[in-house]
Amino acid sequence: MECRVLSIQSHVVRGYVGNKSASFPLQVLGFEVDSINSVQFSNHTGYSHWKGQVLTADELHVLYQGIKLNNVHQYDYVLTGYTRDTSFLEMVVDIVQELKRANPNLVYVCDPVLGDHGSMYVPQNLYPVYKNKVVPVADIITPNQFEAELLTGKNISTEKDAVEVMDLLHAMGPDTVVITSSDLPSRLGDRFLVSLGSQRHVRPDGSRTTQRVRMEVHKVDAVFVGTGDLFAAMLLAWTHHYPNDLKMACEKTFSVMHHVIQRTISYAHELAGPGRRPSPPQLELRMVQSKADIEDPAIVMEAIVLS
């Protein structure tokens, strides 16, 4: 039975960001993907110049109404990422709620893009919308440490803090939480960063159980754009295939990320030449070249089960 995803994300003509980072790998893994472009830019904003258009909340509503009128709005997943507009975000919530009424099993995967390293890079008025409206209807969220702290009001300085923050996020709504990156010290040294995940399950008798995992992830000395979009898409895919095994879903997801990033950085350094720092065009993700790794990633990272 085919699985259908509605992906509401940014779009770029050149490179892999937003819908282009999500759609290709999901399609490779057998998902049907309908894409709505929240923005349409020439390229991502890490370049010196960019041009394009931004979709308004009203325009999003019109597109969704067109899908509804043709009765082709049956979805199994909704996937969203970066946005800068509160009314657009609120329209997304309205659409998700309507789709969930039609299909109570629909899974909403949200990357709550707010900021990183202590500062926000979206308008501050998006924060209460994410906290009070978006996260409560989400099933899977992929915040970084800063975003997880911001959404819960609790700082993370130890692994115990991170577990408590993930529990607070569960209490807000999502059954699956993955903190994609943190400042916690890695047991493997300063060349690694720590990611943590938590997944709630309801047993047949109605009681709840939670699986928590920790991963040590290789740091890379480069700035990539589109990796968060790829991560959320791969977590969607691998939790679909392993719905009750967060350990395996994370190992598959992080391994895909590792292979794509390593292929990208090798190619970028080759283009840049010895001793030269790769440019944004050279660091565009090597997505098509990583097709085999997306389909069947060699597991190169082990998730340690905490509980």
Side-chain angles (χ1 to χ4, degrees):
M1 181 178 171
E2 73 178 26
C3 237
R4 189 167 288 275
V5 180
L6 176 62
S7 180
I8 306 174
Q9 301 201 71
S10 56
H11 172 82
V12 291
V13 177
R14 168 63 192 266
Y16 285 91
V17 172
N19 273 327
K20 286 177 75 175
S21 279
S23 296
F24 172 74
L26 284 172
Q27 288 166 331
V28 161
L29 288 168
F31 293 82
E32 289 286 349
V33 183
D34 293 349
S35 301
I36 294 178
N37 299 329
S38 58
V39 305
Q40 184 158 275
F41 285 174
S42 54
N43 44 267
H44 69 69
T45 57
Y47 284 72
S48 301
H49 309 280
W50 68 90
K51 298 288 185 181
Q53 302 82 35
V54 177
L55 195 72
T56 67
D58 287 343
E59 290 166 339
L60 171 60
H61 180 68
V62 168
L63 288 173
Y64 177 65
Q65 289 302 311
I67 295 170
K68 269 178 65 179
L69 286 169
N70 288 299
N71 194 31
V72 289
H73 60 300
Q74 295 79 31
Y75 292 101
D76 302 287
Y77 289 90
V78 175
L79 174 63
T80 65
Y82 176 80
T83 186
R84 293 184 59 84
D85 181 71
T86 55
S87 60
F88 189 92
L89 200 52
E90 287 169 341
M91 181 60 67
V92 168
V93 171
D94 290 344
I95 290 171
V96 169
Q97 289 174 323
E98 184 170 316
L99 291 173
K100 283 194 170 195
R101 285 193 291 271
N103 175 16
N105 294 319
L106 179 139
V107 173
Y108 174 29
V109 181
C110 172
D111 182 4
V113 181
L114 289 163
D116 204 357
H117 304 301
S119 62
M120 292 182 69
Y121 41 61
V122 298
Q124 293 214 353
N125 58 359
L126 262 71
Y127 159 68
V129 180
Y130 270 112
K131 181 174 182 178
N132 301 320
K133 296 184 178 180
V134 179
V135 173
V137 299
D139 300 282
I140 299 173
I141 59 170
T142 58
N144 56 37
Q145 176 176 329
F146 172 74
E147 291 158 346
E149 291 175 332
L150 194 61
L151 290 167
T152 60
K154 180 177 174 59
N155 290 333
I156 297 173
S157 54
T158 65
E159 186 177 283
K160 181 174 177 290
D161 292 337
V163 168
E164 290 174 2
V165 163
M166 290 189 291
D167 284 344
L168 288 170
L169 289 167
H170 283 318
M172 294 168 69
D175 284 332
T176 301
V177 177
V178 176
I179 298 176
T180 56
S181 61
S182 76
D183 298 326
L184 295 177
S186 168
R187 294 160 188 168
L188 300 179
D190 58 10
R191 292 174 54 247
F192 291 79
L193 59 82
V194 173
S195 297
L196 298 111
S198 180
Q199 188 173 56
R200 291 190 307 188
H201 301 284
V202 179
R203 294 190 181 101
D205 65 2
S207 61
R208 289 184 180 274
T209 180
T210 304
Q211 184 187 42
R212 301 184 181 94
V213 298
R214 171 188 174 116
M215 299 198 71
E216 319 284 331
V217 182
H218 287 274
K219 290 181 181 177
V220 179
D221 184 23
V223 176
F224 301 97
V225 179
T227 49
D229 308 312
L230 174 61
F231 183 90
M234 291 298 87
L235 190 64
L236 181 162
W238 293 115
T239 53
H240 174 79
H241 289 298
Y242 299 96
N244 299 309
D245 189 351
L246 182 63
K247 172 180 164 65
M248 179 58 78
C250 282
E251 287 175 350
K252 291 274 193 180
T253 298
F254 278 97
S255 292
V256 169
M257 300 303 299
H258 173 85
H259 295 307
V260 173
I261 288 170
Q262 289 304 314
R263 182 170 286 105
T264 300
I265 197 71
S266 297
Y267 179 75
H269 282 306
E270 185 182 316
L271 285 182
R276 296 174 68 89
R277 198 164 184 85
S279 65
Q282 293 166 340
L283 287 167
E284 292 284 8
L285 296 178
R286 302 291 284 170
M287 203 76 79
V288 172
Q289 296 78 5
S290 302
K291 177 177 177 288
D293 290 317
I294 292 167
E295 288 178 297
D296 186 20
I299 302 299
V300 293
M301 295 187 192
E302 182 186 3
I304 306 301
V305 176
L306 303 177
S307 62

